[in-house]
Amino acid sequence: MTYGGFLFLFVVPPLLAVLWRHGWALHRRGWAAMALLLVIVYASTTAWDNAAVAMGLWGFDPQRVWGPHLWYLPVEEYAFFGLQTLLTGVWVQARLARALGRAGAR
């Protein structure tokens, strides 16, 4: 299985389900917080993962990635950073809204 295939099978469907169920309930501040979190995730994880691959701590099988590499990482790795952050972030915000009793949270 390719890295992209893994993302489309195991990350994208849960993300779409969470967005379908809870994404509409997020307020503007919730989406602003997600954007800030994505900036932090990409800034820190890009540096960390590129350094780890450059030092030989791990790598990516060329037969298992679809697209080009940006620095040392395939584009699928960058997609994973964002998709996983969105999946977790939307789910956590929905749970917090429910716990705090906000209207519209399920």
Side-chain angles (χ1 to χ4, degrees), residues 29-83:
R29 286 178 42 194
W31 286 112
M34 286 299 304
L36 177 61
L37 183 58
L38 283 167
V39 168
I40 293 168
V41 164
Y42 275 102
S44 61
T45 312
T46 297
W48 176 267
D49 278 15
N50 274 285
V53 173
M55 288 187 277
L57 298 176
W58 77 77
F60 297 91
D61 181 356
Q63 300 296 319
R64 304 248 183 230
V65 295
W66 291 347
H69 283 61
L70 299 174
W71 297 292
Y72 292 96
L73 304 177
V75 294
E76 293 95 334
E77 181 75 354
Y78 294 102
F80 177 75
F81 299 164
L83 293 171

Side-chain angles (χ1 to χ4, degrees), residues 73-94:
L73 304 177
V75 294
E76 293 95 334
E77 181 75 354
Y78 294 102
F80 177 75
F81 299 164
L83 293 171
Q84 190 64 36
T85 300
L86 286 172
L87 174 60
T88 305
V90 171
W91 183 82
V92 166
Q93 287 188 53

Side-chain angles (χ1 to χ4, degrees), residues 1-9 61-66 76:
M1 175 179 282
T2 64
Y3 196 167
F6 175 86
L7 293 176
F8 281 110
L9 188 61
D61 181 356
Q63 300 296 319
R64 304 248 183 230
V65 295
W66 291 347
E76 293 95 334

